Amino acid sequence: MKQVRIGLLGAGVVGTSLIQLLEKNLTSIRERYGIDLLLTEIATRSPEKLSGKVSIPVTNDVLSVTKRSDLDMIVELMGGTTLAYDAVSSALLSGKTVVTANKALLSEKGRELFSTAKNSGAEIGYEAAVAGSIPIIRILRDGLASCEFEVVSGILNGTTNFILTKMEQENWDYSTALAKAQELGFAEADPTFDVEGIDAGHKISLLASLAFREYIPFSNVETDGISRLQSVDIRSARSMGYRLKLLGISKKTEAGILTKVHPTLIPLEHPLANVMNESNAVFYKTKEADSGMVTGKGAGGLPTASAVLSDIIYYAGRIGNPSIQKENNLFLESVPFPQEKNSLRYYLRFTTVDKPGVLAEISKILGKHNISIASVQQKESKVEPVTVIVVTHSATEGEFQKSLLEIDSMKEIIREKTVAIRILEKL
């Protein structure tokens, strides 16, 4: 029976869940795949936390594990982009297969790591880096390998999806929903990476790179989060036939590959609009197979660990087999998309003083930038500031950006920075 010796880096929530899954499934993996997976050593910042829980060596010296000559595979679950980069590089340089769930590492430094893997004849598995238990990496890379992609998009962060769901269903404000997400373990004490779209930005860069066969680094992804959204935005969206979601979008256009993360008004009939709570979903459209969507648990110890174990089994079967063509994820780097050329509609929420002529001033600036108004909502209020909601017709993003800079500079009538939400017409 084929033996594969594994070094595990990181024993946090996902790492400890992986240890449990390995112990539970070792016998069935031997019987089904003819592979004996031997967890040989663990590196973690706090080895004492595993004292008495595992029977194998535990160390806090990460690089000592990656340099062991008797290991076949390194599983990196530490997170971060500094020590993790050094560890993964070390493993690849010695020809070891690497399995990782680290989307930030691959999104920001993937080109260097895939180059190292190619030069050393190693492979990198990263199914768990995007959308937890959803096997989207294999779907894009293998299942739809013959297709030409037009769009790949999705709800890629369970924390923000949970917050927006509770703001709608429970009529909570943003801070209440965030506090509940933190209480349930869906959000970190510092939720910035989640709520400001950074986590989703790392993920959509990986999906877009696979779909379009061009390396799209995180630096090419424009991100906007949900921290400035209010209940009025949720209610207004529903009244117009939309649901508000944080969406990662990448699509091929004549101007290049547009890749972004931002709050989006999605038509209620679109399948992405009905993905609720902490679930994730990935929607794609190809020229040959039209559109499809996969959904499932996008975070958590066991869902993510199950994706890691799936990769371990898959790549363990490839180790030492000279007849297998090594995977090549080293793509040419994509040219940054000229954002000003993107054309779309906007929902704009202005916070203003209550006096005659305010709407006329706003309309004048929008008109100067070739932006026409489709509808206006202003609820009567006895106190300032007041809320004015404008829905526009389609215009270029560059014109929107210039107009909002000009409007927000009018401090005599504008009390807060304008909330601007893209409206999804179609994918």
Side-chain angles (χ1 to χ4, degrees):
M1 179 175 293
K2 182 177 184 179
Q3 289 189 339
V4 174
R5 296 170 64 85
I6 300 168
L8 171 62
L9 312 181
V13 173
V14 178
T16 52
S17 296
L18 176 63
I19 294 170
Q20 295 170 14
L21 284 180
L22 278 169
E23 291 176 348
K24 178 182 177 182
N25 294 288
L26 276 181
T27 300
S28 62
I29 291 170
R30 291 188 189 112
E31 293 173 351
R32 294 176 63 186
Y33 302 102
I35 301 172
D36 191 13
L37 300 176
L38 301 176
L39 185 56
T40 305
E41 188 171 10
I42 300 171
T44 177
R45 286 177 296 182
S46 304
E48 66 278 2
K49 291 184 178 180
L50 292 180
S51 179
K53 297 180 180 179
V54 296
S55 58
I56 62 174
V58 182
T59 180
N60 61 4
D61 188 347
V62 170
L63 295 182
S64 71
V65 177
T66 64
K67 292 176 181 177
R68 282 184 57 162
S69 60
D70 60 336
L71 296 182
D72 306 295
M73 178 184 292
I74 293 295
V75 178
E76 185 277 306
L77 302 177
M78 298 183 298
T81 57
T82 51
L83 180 57
Y85 176 80
D86 293 338
V88 171
S89 295
S90 171
L92 294 172
L93 284 169
S94 62
K96 296 181 180 67
T97 295
V98 170
V99 169
T100 180
N102 195 333
K103 62 269 184 181
L105 177 66
L106 296 181
S107 177
E108 296 181 22
K109 300 186 177 182
R111 188 158 175 76
E112 299 98 307
L113 292 173
F114 286 122
S115 178
T116 301
K118 181 181 180 182
N119 292 335
S120 62
E123 293 184 301
I124 304 174
Y126 56 103
E127 185 65 72
V130 182
S133 63
I134 303 173
I136 189 60
I137 300 298
R138 209 154 290 160
I139 289 173
L140 296 184
R141 188 184 58 212
D142 302 327
L144 296 169
S146 64
C147 296
E148 182 179 350
F149 281 84
E150 297 177 335
V151 173
V152 60
S153 65
I155 296 167
L156 302 174
N157 183 272
T159 300
T160 53
N161 204 38
F162 175 86
I163 290 171
L164 292 174
T165 297
K166 294 307 178 186
M167 288 178 71
E168 177 185 343
Q169 294 182 344
E170 308 294 340
N171 200 30
W172 292 348
D173 60 21
Y174 169 79
S175 59
T176 300
L178 172 59
K180 188 64 176 179
Q182 290 170 322
E183 177 189 330
L184 294 173
F186 297 147
E188 301 289 344
D190 179 0
T192 302
F193 262 54
D194 292 323
V195 301
E196 298 304 337
I198 299 169
D199 175 76
H202 286 137
K203 294 171 180 175
I204 193 62
S205 81
L206 295 179
L207 294 182
S209 297
L210 269 181
F212 300 113
R213 315 302 287 179
E214 294 184 28
Y215 178 56
I216 301 172
F218 176 68
S219 58
N220 284 8
V221 182
E222 181 183 337
T223 60
D224 186 18
I226 68 167
S227 60
R228 296 180 60 245
L229 302 183
Q230 297 180 5
S231 298
V232 63
D233 303 314
I234 306 286
R235 294 193 299 270
S236 297
R238 286 304 306 271
S239 70
M240 295 187 293
Y242 296 92
R243 180 165 279 134
L244 189 50
K245 297 290 186 182
L246 183 73
L247 206 62
I249 300 175
S250 188
K251 60 182 179 180
K252 198 166 191 177
T253 74
E254 291 182 359
I257 299 172
L258 169 70
T259 308
K260 309 181 75 166
V261 173
H262 49 67
T264 309
L265 295 186
I266 304 176
L268 290 173
E269 63 269 19
H270 195 285
L272 282 170
N274 299 305
V275 179
M276 308 300 281
N277 294 306
E278 67 273 20
S279 293
N280 280 196
V282 178
F283 175 90
Y284 59 85
K285 186 175 182 181
T286 72
K287 289 186 176 180
E288 297 81 6
D290 201 9
S291 60
M293 190 176 86
V294 286
T295 185
K297 291 291 184 181
L302 284 174
T304 305
S306 70
V308 173
L309 183 54
S310 174
D311 257 355
I312 290 173
I313 294 169
Y314 175 78
Y315 287 98
R318 297 169 65 85
I319 290 174
N321 190 335
S323 65
I324 292 178
Q325 177 69 35
K326 298 292 186 182
E327 293 172 348
N328 180 11
N329 293 286
L330 186 61
F331 311 127
L332 292 176
E333 188 160 342
S334 179
V335 175
F337 183 86
Q339 300 287 351
E340 68 278 0
K341 292 189 177 181
N342 188 33
S343 184
L344 71 172
R345 298 177 67 206
Y346 261 97
Y347 160 105
L348 304 173
R349 173 164 57 81
F350 302 100
T351 303
T352 76
V353 299
D354 186 14
K355 70 176 186 180
V358 169
L359 184 57
E361 287 294 321
I362 293 173
S363 301
K364 180 181 177 181
I365 293 174
L366 291 175
K368 185 174 75 172
H369 291 283
N370 302 308
I371 301 168
S372 61
I373 294 175
S375 66
V376 178
Q377 299 178 35
Q378 181 178 356
K379 291 188 177 181
E380 188 174 346
S381 176
K382 296 181 180 179
V383 296
E384 286 190 353
V386 298
T387 297
V388 178
I389 294 173
V390 170
V391 176
T392 75
H393 290 295
S394 184
T396 66
E397 190 143 25
E399 294 299 330
F400 276 113
Q401 291 171 353
K402 287 186 283 189
S403 68
L404 294 181
L405 281 174
E406 191 171 342
I407 290 170
D408 286 342
S409 70
M410 297 192 300
K411 302 301 182 183
E412 67 279 6
I413 63 172
I414 301 297
R415 289 291 179 257
E416 296 178 8
K417 185 178 179 181
T418 301
V419 171
I421 304 174
R422 284 87 165 175
I423 299 175
L424 181 70
E425 296 298 324
K426 62 179 180 178
L427 277 178

